[in-house]
Amino acid sequence: MTEETCLFCKIIAGEIPSDRVHEDDEVIAFNDINPVAPVHQLIVPRRHVESAAELREDDAGMLGRIFDVAAALAREAELPERGYRVVT
């Protein structure tokens, strides 16, 4: 999949509408259109990442940012500290 055909890249570019709940220089987060939980949000890097297999040491900051945003969104949604899960 290329950036031109990537669903997440199209959402980031605004080509596909989304209900954004967070946006910064590294990541965006939005509500899932087909949620399987009361709070179901996706957090994606602004940079196209084909798969976890291509991640390298210099991606540590971006990965840390994803988890930082996940924790902040969970607090914002008033989810219990141990009452949510993160799936990658």
Side-chain angles (χ1 to χ4, degrees):
M1 181 177 305
T2 65
E3 288 182 50
E4 293 79 31
T5 60
C6 174
L7 174 70
F8 297 122
C9 289
K10 289 180 179 188
I11 290 170
I12 291 165
E15 296 171 22
I16 296 174
S18 64
D19 180 15
R20 295 181 184 202
V21 294
H22 175 85
E23 225 175 320
D24 65 34
D25 290 343
E26 289 188 274
V27 302
I28 71 163
F30 50 93
N31 289 312
D32 194 291
I33 60 169
N34 293 308
V36 295
V39 177
H40 185 169
Q41 299 168 332
L42 291 92
I43 305 168
V44 297
R46 287 189 175 272
R47 179 178 63 82
H48 178 78
V49 176
E50 188 68 31
S51 78
E54 74 178 39
L55 295 171
R56 300 290 179 250
E57 188 174 338
D58 60 341
D59 291 312
M62 178 264 296
L63 293 169
R65 185 69 187 138
I66 288 172
F67 282 92
D68 186 42
V69 169
L73 290 172
R75 285 190 299 274
E76 199 174 288
E78 298 182 350
L79 299 175
E81 247 183 62
R82 297 179 189 260
Y84 66 94
R85 64 185 191 144
V86 176
V87 179
T88 60

